[in-house]
Amino acid sequence: VPRCHCASISYGDTMEIRIVDYGVGIADVEKAMREIPTLSELMVRPEELDVRARGLKRRLARVLGSSCSISLAKDSSRTGGGAFPEYPLETTLVCLKPKDISPQELRSRLLADTPILIGRVENDAFCLDPRTLRDEDIPAAAKLLNNALKNH
């Protein structure tokens, strides 16, 4: 029977993540944060996400021009199921309102492209969560958005 080691990571006053290591070498919190990308993204502070969202908005505005309006909105990231069913994590969404197509059509086009770009439709806008985009992903995301907005 392998030894079990546990480590905890706190997110504000409301959440604690326990990392359980059954002999595979991830009980060290810093190591887990480096080696498990999903874990490190779950733990990004809302203030950092706001900074990321502002940068993403500026970069997308340069590429997309007048093909859509872009705004920011406070919301929560959706973590999904498993051990974290729908636990809300504060974020700042980057919201795009296309001029010539609906946000739903933009979402459909992005899901049909390769690679796909995943976002959600909220309040009549296609929204990107900066928690799900790394800096190195932004040029490709901007290109996908630009192609989807022009492809009609």
Side-chain angles (χ1 to χ4, degrees):
V1 176
R3 280 180 60 186
C4 174
H5 303 280
C6 295
S8 296
I9 303 170
S10 294
Y11 180 88
D13 296 330
T14 59
M15 180 177 71
E16 181 179 313
I17 295 177
R18 288 194 151 312
I19 301 168
V20 179
D21 174 7
Y22 291 98
V24 294
I26 60 167
D28 176 11
V29 173
E30 286 80 24
K31 183 177 180 183
M33 294 289 283
R34 283 191 311 272
E35 294 184 8
I36 306 172
T38 302
L39 179 60
S40 63
E41 288 304 316
L42 284 172
M43 300 309 294
V44 175
R45 301 267 181 227
E47 301 80 20
E48 171 62 23
L49 292 168
D50 188 69
V51 170
R52 283 191 199 176
R54 291 176 191 288
L56 179 58
K57 178 185 174 192
R58 280 191 303 274
R59 291 172 79 175
L60 291 178
R62 283 195 300 266
V63 173
L64 303 178
S66 64
S67 62
C68 64
S69 62
I70 306 172
S71 61
L72 301 177
K74 297 290 185 189
D75 206 324
S76 57
S77 297
R78 299 192 179 149
T79 56
F84 241 4
E86 293 295 323
Y87 188 88
L89 299 172
E90 288 181 52
T91 193
T92 302
L93 298 176
V94 179
C95 305
L96 292 83
K97 291 193 175 186
K99 298 245 188 282
D100 296 326
I101 60 173
S102 72
Q104 293 81 0
E105 176 62 21
L106 176 58
R107 181 178 179 274
S108 295
R109 290 179 185 186
L110 291 167
L111 289 174
D113 207 343
T114 303
I116 64 171
L117 180 61
I118 298 175
R120 65 186 199 240
V121 176
E122 299 272 337
N123 299 317
D124 204 32
F126 177 78
C127 302
L128 295 170
D129 187 340
R131 189 182 301 276
T132 65
L133 288 171
R134 297 173 303 196
D135 283 343
E136 60 266 23
D137 297 331
I138 294 174
K143 183 178 179 183
L144 288 166
L145 284 162
N146 196 35
N147 289 342
L149 288 164
K150 290 181 178 178
N151 183 23
H152 61 278

PDB file of all heavy atoms in Angstrom, residues 23-56:
ATOM      1  N   GLY A  23       1.953   8.422  -3.832  1.00  0.00           N
ATOM      2  CA  GLY A  23       3.251   7.922  -4.258  1.00  0.00           C
ATOM      3  C   GLY A  23       3.662   8.349  -5.652  1.00  0.00           C
ATOM      4  O   GLY A  23       4.632   7.846  -6.194  1.00  0.00           O
ATOM      5  N   VAL A  24       2.948   9.300  -6.262  1.00  0.00           N
ATOM      6  CA  VAL A  24       3.310   9.732  -7.609  1.00  0.00           C
ATOM      7  C   VAL A  24       4.077  11.049  -7.619  1.00  0.00           C
ATOM      8  O   VAL A  24       4.385  11.572  -8.677  1.00  0.00           O
ATOM      9  CB  VAL A  24       2.078   9.832  -8.541  1.00  0.00           C
ATOM     10  CG1 VAL A  24       1.487   8.471  -8.774  1.00  0.00           C
ATOM     11  CG2 VAL A  24       1.051  10.784  -7.992  1.00  0.00           C
ATOM     12  N   GLY A  25       4.359  11.613  -6.468  1.00  0.00           N
ATOM     13  CA  GLY A  25       5.277  12.744  -6.392  1.00  0.00           C
ATOM     14  C   GLY A  25       4.698  14.121  -6.569  1.00  0.00           C
ATOM     15  O   GLY A  25       5.397  15.005  -7.046  1.00  0.00           O
ATOM     16  N   ILE A  26       3.439  14.386  -6.219  1.00  0.00           N
ATOM     17  CA  ILE A  26       2.913  15.739  -6.385  1.00  0.00           C
ATOM     18  C   ILE A  26       2.416  16.369  -5.089  1.00  0.00           C
ATOM     19  O   ILE A  26       1.701  17.346  -5.116  1.00  0.00           O
ATOM     20  CB  ILE A  26       1.793  15.806  -7.445  1.00  0.00           C
ATOM     21  CG1 ILE A  26       0.632  14.917  -7.044  1.00  0.00           C
ATOM     22  CG2 ILE A  26       2.310  15.519  -8.821  1.00  0.00           C
ATOM     23  CD1 ILE A  26      -0.629  15.148  -7.847  1.00  0.00           C
ATOM     24  N   ALA A  27       2.788  15.826  -3.949  1.00  0.00           N
ATOM     25  CA  ALA A  27       2.294  16.394  -2.694  1.00  0.00           C
ATOM     26  C   ALA A  27       2.894  17.763  -2.414  1.00  0.00           C
ATOM     27  O   ALA A  27       2.307  18.554  -1.695  1.00  0.00           O
ATOM     28  CB  ALA A  27       2.571  15.452  -1.529  1.00  0.00           C
ATOM     29  N   ASP A  28       4.032  18.080  -2.983  1.00  0.00           N
ATOM     30  CA  ASP A  28       4.649  19.393  -2.824  1.00  0.00           C
ATOM     31  C   ASP A  28       3.786  20.412  -3.578  1.00  0.00           C
ATOM     32  O   ASP A  28       3.615  20.333  -4.787  1.00  0.00           O
ATOM     33  CB  ASP A  28       6.060  19.348  -3.386  1.00  0.00           C
ATOM     34  CG  ASP A  28       6.768  20.683  -3.370  1.00  0.00           C
ATOM     35  OD1 ASP A  28       6.265  21.627  -2.734  1.00  0.00           O
ATOM     36  OD2 ASP A  28       7.830  20.781  -4.009  1.00  0.00           O
ATOM     37  N   VAL A  29       3.226  21.368  -2.856  1.00  0.00           N
ATOM     38  CA  VAL A  29       2.275  22.322  -3.431  1.00  0.00           C
ATOM     39  C   VAL A  29       2.880  23.098  -4.595  1.00  0.00           C
ATOM     40  O   VAL A  29       2.268  23.227  -5.661  1.00  0.00           O
ATOM     41  CB  VAL A  29       1.741  23.280  -2.347  1.00  0.00           C
ATOM     42  CG1 VAL A  29       0.890  24.367  -2.961  1.00  0.00           C
ATOM     43  CG2 VAL A  29       0.956  22.514  -1.304  1.00  0.00           C
ATOM     44  N   GLU A  30       4.079  23.640  -4.431  1.00  0.00           N
ATOM     45  CA  GLU A  30       4.689  24.418  -5.515  1.00  0.00           C
ATOM     46  C   GLU A  30       4.901  23.563  -6.759  1.00  0.00           C
ATOM     47  O   GLU A  30       4.673  24.002  -7.880  1.00  0.00           O
ATOM     48  CB  GLU A  30       6.021  25.034  -5.071  1.00  0.00           C
ATOM     49  CG  GLU A  30       5.870  26.212  -4.133  1.00  0.00           C
ATOM     50  CD  GLU A  30       5.614  25.797  -2.693  1.00  0.00           C
ATOM     51  OE1 GLU A  30       5.981  24.662  -2.307  1.00  0.00           O
ATOM     52  OE2 GLU A  30       5.019  26.599  -1.962  1.00  0.00           O
ATOM     53  N   LYS A  31       5.333  22.332  -6.550  1.00  0.00           N
ATOM     54  CA  LYS A  31       5.532  21.437  -7.684  1.00  0.00           C
ATOM     55  C   LYS A  31       4.200  21.145  -8.376  1.00  0.00           C
ATOM     56  O   LYS A  31       4.115  21.150  -9.600  1.00  0.00           O
ATOM     57  CB  LYS A  31       6.184  20.141  -7.209  1.00  0.00           C
ATOM     58  CG  LYS A  31       6.502  19.181  -8.329  1.00  0.00           C
ATOM     59  CD  LYS A  31       7.220  17.945  -7.796  1.00  0.00           C
ATOM     60  CE  LYS A  31       7.541  16.991  -8.927  1.00  0.00           C
ATOM     61  NZ  LYS A  31       8.158  15.762  -8.456  1.00  0.00           N
ATOM     62  N   ALA A  32       3.174  20.900  -7.581  1.00  0.00           N
ATOM     63  CA  ALA A  32       1.853  20.642  -8.156  1.00  0.00           C
ATOM     64  C   ALA A  32       1.373  21.838  -8.966  1.00  0.00           C
ATOM     65  O   ALA A  32       0.815  21.676 -10.057  1.00  0.00           O
ATOM     66  CB  ALA A  32       0.853  20.310  -7.048  1.00  0.00           C
ATOM     67  N   MET A  33       1.594  23.040  -8.455  1.00  0.00           N
ATOM     68  CA  MET A  33       1.168  24.240  -9.178  1.00  0.00           C
ATOM     69  C   MET A  33       1.906  24.369 -10.515  1.00  0.00           C
ATOM     70  O   MET A  33       1.342  24.839 -11.491  1.00  0.00           O
ATOM     71  CB  MET A  33       1.397  25.488  -8.325  1.00  0.00           C
ATOM     72  CG  MET A  33       0.528  25.539  -7.080  1.00  0.00           C
ATOM     73  SD  MET A  33      -1.200  25.847  -7.418  1.00  0.00           S
ATOM     74  CE  MET A  33      -1.128  27.599  -7.730  1.00  0.00           C
ATOM     75  N   ARG A  34       3.158  23.965 -10.568  1.00  0.00           N
ATOM     76  CA  ARG A  34       3.936  24.024 -11.813  1.00  0.00           C
ATOM     77  C   ARG A  34       3.533  22.923 -12.788  1.00  0.00           C
ATOM     78  O   ARG A  34       3.505  23.131 -13.988  1.00  0.00           O
ATOM     79  CB  ARG A  34       5.433  23.894 -11.527  1.00  0.00           C
ATOM     80  CG  ARG A  34       6.099  25.112 -10.986  1.00  0.00           C
ATOM     81  CD  ARG A  34       7.628  24.959 -10.994  1.00  0.00           C
ATOM     82  NE  ARG A  34       8.088  23.702 -10.411  1.00  0.00           N
ATOM     83  CZ  ARG A  34       8.337  23.510  -9.115  1.00  0.00           C
ATOM     84  NH1 ARG A  34       8.158  24.482  -8.260  1.00  0.00           N
ATOM     85  NH2 ARG A  34       8.768  22.344  -8.685  1.00  0.00           N
ATOM     86  N   GLU A  35       3.261  21.735 -12.265  1.00  0.00           N
ATOM     87  CA  GLU A  35       3.080  20.572 -13.117  1.00  0.00           C
ATOM     88  C   GLU A  35       1.638  20.246 -13.471  1.00  0.00           C
ATOM     89  O   GLU A  35       1.390  19.411 -14.342  1.00  0.00           O
ATOM     90  CB  GLU A  35       3.746  19.356 -12.468  1.00  0.00           C
ATOM     91  CG  GLU A  35       5.253  19.523 -12.395  1.00  0.00           C
ATOM     92  CD  GLU A  35       5.965  18.301 -11.852  1.00  0.00           C
ATOM     93  OE1 GLU A  35       5.305  17.254 -11.664  1.00  0.00           O
ATOM     94  OE2 GLU A  35       7.177  18.400 -11.644  1.00  0.00           O
ATOM     95  N   ILE A  36       0.693  20.888 -12.821  1.00  0.00           N
ATOM     96  CA  ILE A  36      -0.722  20.643 -13.124  1.00  0.00           C
ATOM     97  C   ILE A  36      -1.325  21.975 -13.579  1.00  0.00           C
ATOM     98  O   ILE A  36      -1.770  22.778 -12.763  1.00  0.00           O
ATOM     99  CB  ILE A  36      -1.476  20.085 -11.899  1.00  0.00           C
ATOM    100  CG1 ILE A  36      -0.772  18.837 -11.365  1.00  0.00           C
ATOM    101  CG2 ILE A  36      -2.930  19.783 -12.259  1.00  0.00           C
ATOM    102  CD1 ILE A  36      -1.329  18.335 -10.045  1.00  0.00           C
ATOM    103  N   PRO A  37      -1.329  22.233 -14.894  1.00  0.00           N
ATOM    104  CA  PRO A  37      -1.797  23.530 -15.395  1.00  0.00           C
ATOM    105  C   PRO A  37      -3.202  23.899 -14.928  1.00  0.00           C
ATOM    106  O   PRO A  37      -3.468  25.047 -14.586  1.00  0.00           O
ATOM    107  CB  PRO A  37      -1.748  23.373 -16.918  1.00  0.00           C
ATOM    108  CG  PRO A  37      -0.773  22.277 -17.158  1.00  0.00           C
ATOM    109  CD  PRO A  37      -0.875  21.353 -15.977  1.00  0.00           C
ATOM    110  N   THR A  38      -4.105  22.940 -14.892  1.00  0.00           N
ATOM    111  CA  THR A  38      -5.464  23.236 -14.458  1.00  0.00           C
ATOM    112  C   THR A  38      -5.488  23.736 -13.023  1.00  0.00           C
ATOM    113  O   THR A  38      -6.188  24.697 -12.699  1.00  0.00           O
ATOM    114  CB  THR A  38      -6.360  21.986 -14.599  1.00  0.00           C
ATOM    115  OG1 THR A  38      -6.342  21.573 -15.961  1.00  0.00           O
ATOM    116  CG2 THR A  38      -7.782  22.274 -14.172  1.00  0.00           C
ATOM    117  N   LEU A  39      -4.704  23.129 -12.175  1.00  0.00           N
ATOM    118  CA  LEU A  39      -4.633  23.549 -10.781  1.00  0.00           C
ATOM    119  C   LEU A  39      -4.099  24.970 -10.672  1.00  0.00           C
ATOM    120  O   LEU A  39      -4.661  25.800  -9.962  1.00  0.00           O
ATOM    121  CB  LEU A  39      -3.759  22.586  -9.975  1.00  0.00           C
ATOM    122  CG  LEU A  39      -3.573  22.930  -8.507  1.00  0.00           C
ATOM    123  CD1 LEU A  39      -4.912  22.950  -7.781  1.00  0.00           C
ATOM    124  CD2 LEU A  39      -2.626  21.934  -7.859  1.00  0.00           C
ATOM    125  N   SER A  40      -3.036  25.276 -11.405  1.00  0.00           N
ATOM    126  CA  SER A  40      -2.477  26.635 -11.322  1.00  0.00           C
ATOM    127  C   SER A  40      -3.472  27.670 -11.839  1.00  0.00           C
ATOM    128  O   SER A  40      -3.596  28.755 -11.274  1.00  0.00           O
ATOM    129  CB  SER A  40      -1.143  26.734 -12.048  1.00  0.00           C
ATOM    130  OG  SER A  40      -1.286  26.478 -13.412  1.00  0.00           O
ATOM    131  N   GLU A  41      -4.244  27.344 -12.875  1.00  0.00           N
ATOM    132  CA  GLU A  41      -5.236  28.287 -13.389  1.00  0.00           C
ATOM    133  C   GLU A  41      -6.411  28.458 -12.434  1.00  0.00           C
ATOM    134  O   GLU A  41      -6.972  29.535 -12.306  1.00  0.00           O
ATOM    135  CB  GLU A  41      -5.723  27.877 -14.777  1.00  0.00           C
ATOM    136  CG  GLU A  41      -4.686  28.082 -15.858  1.00  0.00           C
ATOM    137  CD  GLU A  41      -4.175  29.507 -15.935  1.00  0.00           C
ATOM    138  OE1 GLU A  41      -4.977  30.466 -15.874  1.00  0.00           O
ATOM    139  OE2 GLU A  41      -2.949  29.676 -16.044  1.00  0.00           O
ATOM    140  N   LEU A  42      -6.797  27.388 -11.757  1.00  0.00           N
ATOM    141  CA  LEU A  42      -7.878  27.499 -10.771  1.00  0.00           C
ATOM    142  C   LEU A  42      -7.496  28.445  -9.633  1.00  0.00           C
ATOM    143  O   LEU A  42      -8.358  29.081  -9.038  1.00  0.00           O
ATOM    144  CB  LEU A  42      -8.218  26.124 -10.181  1.00  0.00           C
ATOM    145  CG  LEU A  42      -9.014  25.187 -11.062  1.00  0.00           C
ATOM    146  CD1 LEU A  42      -9.096  23.810 -10.418  1.00  0.00           C
ATOM    147  CD2 LEU A  42     -10.401  25.733 -11.349  1.00  0.00           C
ATOM    148  N   MET A  43      -6.216  28.550  -9.355  1.00  0.00           N
ATOM    149  CA  MET A  43      -5.765  29.320  -8.204  1.00  0.00           C
ATOM    150  C   MET A  43      -5.382  30.766  -8.543  1.00  0.00           C
ATOM    151  O   MET A  43      -4.968  31.513  -7.662  1.00  0.00           O
ATOM    152  CB  MET A  43      -4.579  28.612  -7.544  1.00  0.00           C
ATOM    153  CG  MET A  43      -4.918  27.200  -7.060  1.00  0.00           C
ATOM    154  SD  MET A  43      -6.405  27.087  -6.044  1.00  0.00           S
ATOM    155  CE  MET A  43      -5.892  28.010  -4.621  1.00  0.00           C
ATOM    156  N   VAL A  44      -5.524  31.189  -9.782  1.00  0.00           N
ATOM    157  CA  VAL A  44      -5.205  32.571 -10.150  1.00  0.00           C
ATOM    158  C   VAL A  44      -6.177  33.512  -9.444  1.00  0.00           C
ATOM    159  O   VAL A  44      -7.389  33.302  -9.447  1.00  0.00           O
ATOM    160  CB  VAL A  44      -5.267  32.775 -11.684  1.00  0.00           C
ATOM    161  CG1 VAL A  44      -5.055  34.233 -12.048  1.00  0.00           C
ATOM    162  CG2 VAL A  44      -4.238  31.904 -12.369  1.00  0.00           C
ATOM    163  N   ARG A  45      -5.657  34.544  -8.841  1.00  0.00           N
ATOM    164  CA  ARG A  45      -6.454  35.518  -8.088  1.00  0.00           C
ATOM    165  C   ARG A  45      -7.287  36.389  -9.028  1.00  0.00           C
ATOM    166  O   ARG A  45      -6.888  36.679 -10.157  1.00  0.00           O
ATOM    167  CB  ARG A  45      -5.546  36.417  -7.262  1.00  0.00           C
ATOM    168  CG  ARG A  45      -4.686  35.656  -6.283  1.00  0.00           C
ATOM    169  CD  ARG A  45      -5.372  35.588  -4.973  1.00  0.00           C
ATOM    170  NE  ARG A  45      -4.564  34.880  -4.000  1.00  0.00           N
ATOM    171  CZ  ARG A  45      -5.047  33.946  -3.218  1.00  0.00           C
ATOM    172  NH1 ARG A  45      -6.303  33.626  -3.273  1.00  0.00           N
ATOM    173  NH2 ARG A  45      -4.276  33.337  -2.353  1.00  0.00           N
ATOM    174  N   PRO A  46      -8.464  36.819  -8.592  1.00  0.00           N
ATOM    175  CA  PRO A  46      -9.323  37.666  -9.423  1.00  0.00           C
ATOM    176  C   PRO A  46      -8.619  38.937  -9.914  1.00  0.00           C
ATOM    177  O   PRO A  46      -8.855  39.374 -11.038  1.00  0.00           O
ATOM    178  CB  PRO A  46     -10.491  38.013  -8.501  1.00  0.00           C
ATOM    179  CG  PRO A  46     -10.530  36.913  -7.503  1.00  0.00           C
ATOM    180  CD  PRO A  46      -9.098  36.478  -7.309  1.00  0.00           C
ATOM    181  N   GLU A  47      -7.752  39.515  -9.101  1.00  0.00           N
ATOM    182  CA  GLU A  47      -7.038  40.740  -9.503  1.00  0.00           C
ATOM    183  C   GLU A  47      -6.130  40.472 -10.704  1.00  0.00           C
ATOM    184  O   GLU A  47      -6.029  41.290 -11.621  1.00  0.00           O
ATOM    185  CB  GLU A  47      -6.204  41.285  -8.331  1.00  0.00           C
ATOM    186  CG  GLU A  47      -7.004  41.617  -7.095  1.00  0.00           C
ATOM    187  CD  GLU A  47      -7.364  40.408  -6.228  1.00  0.00           C
ATOM    188  OE1 GLU A  47      -6.708  39.351  -6.340  1.00  0.00           O
ATOM    189  OE2 GLU A  47      -8.338  40.526  -5.453  1.00  0.00           O
ATOM    190  N   GLU A  48      -5.476  39.322 -10.725  1.00  0.00           N
ATOM    191  CA  GLU A  48      -4.614  38.951 -11.848  1.00  0.00           C
ATOM    192  C   GLU A  48      -5.455  38.688 -13.098  1.00  0.00           C
ATOM    193  O   GLU A  48      -5.069  39.055 -14.207  1.00  0.00           O
ATOM    194  CB  GLU A  48      -3.780  37.723 -11.493  1.00  0.00           C
ATOM    195  CG  GLU A  48      -3.007  37.134 -12.653  1.00  0.00           C
ATOM    196  CD  GLU A  48      -1.966  38.063 -13.265  1.00  0.00           C
ATOM    197  OE1 GLU A  48      -1.494  38.996 -12.584  1.00  0.00           O
ATOM    198  OE2 GLU A  48      -1.641  37.870 -14.457  1.00  0.00           O
ATOM    199  N   LEU A  49      -6.611  38.075 -12.920  1.00  0.00           N
ATOM    200  CA  LEU A  49      -7.491  37.827 -14.063  1.00  0.00           C
ATOM    201  C   LEU A  49      -8.013  39.128 -14.653  1.00  0.00           C
ATOM    202  O   LEU A  49      -8.177  39.238 -15.871  1.00  0.00           O
ATOM    203  CB  LEU A  49      -8.649  36.913 -13.654  1.00  0.00           C
ATOM    204  CG  LEU A  49      -8.227  35.484 -13.323  1.00  0.00           C
ATOM    205  CD1 LEU A  49      -9.361  34.741 -12.662  1.00  0.00           C
ATOM    206  CD2 LEU A  49      -7.744  34.761 -14.564  1.00  0.00           C
ATOM    207  N   ASP A  50      -8.258  40.125 -13.816  1.00  0.00           N
ATOM    208  CA  ASP A  50      -8.685  41.438 -14.300  1.00  0.00           C
ATOM    209  C   ASP A  50      -7.587  42.064 -15.161  1.00  0.00           C
ATOM    210  O   ASP A  50      -7.860  42.603 -16.235  1.00  0.00           O
ATOM    211  CB  ASP A  50      -9.048  42.345 -13.120  1.00  0.00           C
ATOM    212  CG  ASP A  50      -9.677  43.636 -13.586  1.00  0.00           C
ATOM    213  OD1 ASP A  50     -10.818  43.580 -14.098  1.00  0.00           O
ATOM    214  OD2 ASP A  50      -9.027  44.692 -13.445  1.00  0.00           O
ATOM    215  N   VAL A  51      -6.347  41.964 -14.721  1.00  0.00           N
ATOM    216  CA  VAL A  51      -5.210  42.479 -15.507  1.00  0.00           C
ATOM    217  C   VAL A  51      -5.114  41.736 -16.835  1.00  0.00           C
ATOM    218  O   VAL A  51      -4.948  42.350 -17.896  1.00  0.00           O
ATOM    219  CB  VAL A  51      -3.893  42.368 -14.702  1.00  0.00           C
ATOM    220  CG1 VAL A  51      -2.687  42.668 -15.572  1.00  0.00           C
ATOM    221  CG2 VAL A  51      -3.932  43.287 -13.491  1.00  0.00           C
ATOM    222  N   ARG A  52      -5.229  40.413 -16.793  1.00  0.00           N
ATOM    223  CA  ARG A  52      -5.184  39.613 -18.022  1.00  0.00           C
ATOM    224  C   ARG A  52      -6.313  40.005 -18.978  1.00  0.00           C
ATOM    225  O   ARG A  52      -6.115  40.121 -20.192  1.00  0.00           O
ATOM    226  CB  ARG A  52      -5.338  38.126 -17.707  1.00  0.00           C
ATOM    227  CG  ARG A  52      -4.130  37.452 -17.161  1.00  0.00           C
ATOM    228  CD  ARG A  52      -4.419  35.958 -17.181  1.00  0.00           C
ATOM    229  NE  ARG A  52      -3.574  35.197 -16.315  1.00  0.00           N
ATOM    230  CZ  ARG A  52      -3.715  33.895 -16.136  1.00  0.00           C
ATOM    231  NH1 ARG A  52      -4.674  33.218 -16.732  1.00  0.00           N
ATOM    232  NH2 ARG A  52      -2.904  33.246 -15.330  1.00  0.00           N
ATOM    233  N   ALA A  53      -7.523  40.190 -18.429  1.00  0.00           N
ATOM    234  CA  ALA A  53      -8.683  40.542 -19.260  1.00  0.00           C
ATOM    235  C   ALA A  53      -8.469  41.883 -19.950  1.00  0.00           C
ATOM    236  O   ALA A  53      -8.791  42.032 -21.132  1.00  0.00           O
ATOM    237  CB  ALA A  53      -9.952  40.567 -18.416  1.00  0.00           C
ATOM    238  N   ARG A  54      -7.945  42.859 -19.227  1.00  0.00           N
ATOM    239  CA  ARG A  54      -7.688  44.173 -19.828  1.00  0.00           C
ATOM    240  C   ARG A  54      -6.670  44.067 -20.965  1.00  0.00           C
ATOM    241  O   ARG A  54      -6.824  44.682 -22.018  1.00  0.00           O
ATOM    242  CB  ARG A  54      -7.238  45.167 -18.766  1.00  0.00           C
ATOM    243  CG  ARG A  54      -8.354  45.522 -17.811  1.00  0.00           C
ATOM    244  CD  ARG A  54      -7.913  46.447 -16.667  1.00  0.00           C
ATOM    245  NE  ARG A  54      -8.955  46.532 -15.677  1.00  0.00           N
ATOM    246  CZ  ARG A  54     -10.104  47.173 -15.833  1.00  0.00           C
ATOM    247  NH1 ARG A  54     -10.354  47.799 -16.967  1.00  0.00           N
ATOM    248  NH2 ARG A  54     -11.001  47.194 -14.876  1.00  0.00           N
ATOM    249  N   GLY A  55      -5.631  43.273 -20.757  1.00  0.00           N
ATOM    250  CA  GLY A  55      -4.637  43.064 -21.813  1.00  0.00           C
ATOM    251  C   GLY A  55      -5.223  42.339 -23.011  1.00  0.00           C
ATOM    252  O   GLY A  55      -4.958  42.697 -24.165  1.00  0.00           O
ATOM    253  N   LEU A  56      -6.037  41.332 -22.758  1.00  0.00           N
ATOM    254  CA  LEU A  56      -6.686  40.593 -23.842  1.00  0.00           C
ATOM    255  C   LEU A  56      -7.616  41.507 -24.631  1.00  0.00           C
ATOM    256  O   LEU A  56      -7.624  41.482 -25.869  1.00  0.00           O
ATOM    257  CB  LEU A  56      -7.461  39.401 -23.264  1.00  0.00           C
ATOM    258  CG  LEU A  56      -8.228  38.531 -24.242  1.00  0.00           C
ATOM    259  CD1 LEU A  56      -7.323  37.940 -25.312  1.00  0.00           C
ATOM    260  CD2 LEU A  56      -8.963  37.418 -23.485  1.00  0.00           C
TER     261      LEU A  56
END
